[in-house]
Amino acid sequence: MTTANNANSTSNSVNTLARQLVQDIVPYASARSSMSGGAVWLNANENALAPAYQLDDCFNRYPSCQPKAVIDAYAAYAGLTPEQVLVSRGADEGIELLIRSFCEPKQDSITICPPTYGMYAISAESNQTAVTKVLLKDSERLDLPGIFATKPKLVFICSPNNPTGDLIPREDIIAVLEHFTDKALVVVDEAYIEFAPTASVVPLLSRYPHLVVLRTLSKAFGLAGLRCGFTLASADIINALKKMIAPYPIAEPVAQIAAQALSAKGIAQMQQSVAIINQLRNDFSTFVSQLPGIVKIWPSNANYVLLQVSNAADCVQALIGEGILIRNQSSQLGLTEVVRVSIGNPDEMQRLQQAMLTYFSMNKRASA
Ligand SMILES: *Cc1c(COP(=O)(O)O)cnc(C)c1O
């Protein structure tokens, strides 16, 4: 008892010693930290169909900052030169490096288009960078006049967008690129692009030196636990980010696994799992379209589906009761009573559909 009290008072004084900024930050509730228990994980857009990897058994040397095998493999996969590729601890670190490298704290801002991925705002906040929010129109078109009225250093566009699953039209992205020439970088987050590969804006990199594309091994490649992502941009941008990145960001086992994932065999396996997941997602969307009580289904180009229901918290809770975790996204600006369902393996989807059938049929009776 006494020990616990002492420990508490120590941590309280540490809390008041931290920077005011740190004291004010509300910790990010990641998909993992906000959930406990449960057998079926459909809340973090992970890939349930992941292959296995081989590792060396000796790690006495420091790793390379930018392991050549990984950079070369990703450049080949993306159709770029190695100078246009940076590897980092997930795409999340790419977001943070961009903000830390291009935004002067307390002075510059970023523009984001909610509802969208949460880390742009969180990384901006930790760099004391203002966030200007310009809502998507009809959840898929960019509000171009709204975006042009902002004066950011970075514009973040997520396509396919998390959590809606929509692709942002290429002509909208080009309009933003044209407007911000010599004024700001335009960052297109393609974390889910393998589920809709023809929509990639990577071919635009040769025309727009201020375009940045974010990629990851966490989603289609099934390696969320690896923490490995990529920033694709002109060599000048990549060189600026290299000045800010830690000396050893990529652990050697991560580099070895990433190189295997990006081999011809690894890419073929990824494409097979994408085909299966896209089919499961289409089947799931058809299934929910026939359920009573679903208000809206967003057409998805990724490995998740956003659904509007009458009571999102109740729906999430009911599925937790069946051991199934999905994610409430109702706190997103521009969305109300929505849940995001990640596509799992066939067994998991079977269990999910059974549980949803029970829940929504019962609800229908209750409200009838
Ligand atoms: C998951 C996700 C990321 C982060 O990817 P990591 O490589 O795991 O850090 C980035 N952007 C979007 C839109 C995501 O959904």
Side-chain angles (χ1 to χ4, degrees), residues 94-149:
I95 294 166
E96 200 194 316
L97 287 169
L98 283 161
I99 292 174
R100 284 174 49 223
S101 304
F102 288 89
C103 298
E104 208 68 72
K106 299 185 181 176
Q107 185 176 316
D108 293 331
S109 69
I110 66 167
T111 295
I112 67 171
C113 306
T116 194
Y117 187 53
M119 286 308 294
Y120 317 133
I122 287 165
S123 289
E125 184 184 6
S126 70
N127 191 55
Q128 298 177 291
T129 297
V131 179
T132 313
K133 296 173 180 167
V134 181
L135 257 70
L136 291 172
K137 294 189 301 183
D138 315 321
S139 86
E140 63 164 319
R141 297 302 301 251
L142 297 179
D143 172 0
L144 294 175
I147 292 173
F148 296 169

Side-chain angles (χ1 to χ4, degrees), residues 131-314:
V131 179
T132 313
K133 296 173 180 167
V134 181
L135 257 70
L136 291 172
K137 294 189 301 183
D138 315 321
S139 86
E140 63 164 319
R141 297 302 301 251
L142 297 179
D143 172 0
L144 294 175
I147 292 173
F148 296 169
T150 67
K151 298 247 174 299
K153 273 294 191 71
L154 302 170
V155 182
F156 283 92
I157 298 168
C158 188
S159 180
N161 187 36
N162 180 1
T164 58
D166 294 307
L167 288 169
I168 305 298
R170 183 181 303 254
E171 63 264 31
D172 284 10
I173 296 175
I174 290 175
V176 174
L177 281 163
E178 292 287 345
H179 177 84
F180 286 105
T181 301
D182 296 330
K183 295 195 196 98
L185 303 189
V186 178
V187 184
V188 180
D189 186 339
E190 294 190 343
Y192 299 96
I193 201 66
E194 286 84 2
F195 297 99
T198 56
S200 176
V201 295
V202 160
L204 298 179
L205 281 168
S206 57
R207 263 164 61 198
Y208 297 101
H210 59 305
L211 170 62
V212 180
V213 178
L214 293 170
R215 296 283 190 85
T216 180
L217 299 187
S218 294
K219 308 291 163 52
F221 283 91
L223 287 168
L226 193 65
R227 309 308 303 127
C228 188
F230 297 88
T231 304
L232 313 177
S234 60
D236 287 345
I237 294 174
I238 298 298
N239 285 335
L241 301 179
K242 280 181 183 168
K243 292 184 185 176
M244 293 297 268
I245 201 167
Y248 309 112
I250 307 299
E252 180 60 26
V254 172
Q256 292 182 11
I257 292 171
Q260 290 165 52
L262 293 166
S263 67
K265 183 174 159 219
I267 290 168
Q269 280 173 333
M270 176 277 288
Q271 286 164 341
Q272 273 167 21
S273 91
V274 162
I276 294 169
I277 290 164
N278 280 345
Q279 183 62 52
L280 287 167
R281 179 200 65 219
N282 293 345
D283 294 348
F284 176 71
S285 297
T286 305
F287 165 80
V288 284
S289 71
Q290 291 154 1
L291 281 181
I294 303 280
V295 181
K296 176 174 175 181
I297 307 166
W298 275 258
S300 174
N301 295 278
N303 66 337
Y304 50 86
V305 179
L306 190 70
L307 305 172
Q308 189 172 28
V309 297
S310 50
N311 185 334
D314 186 63

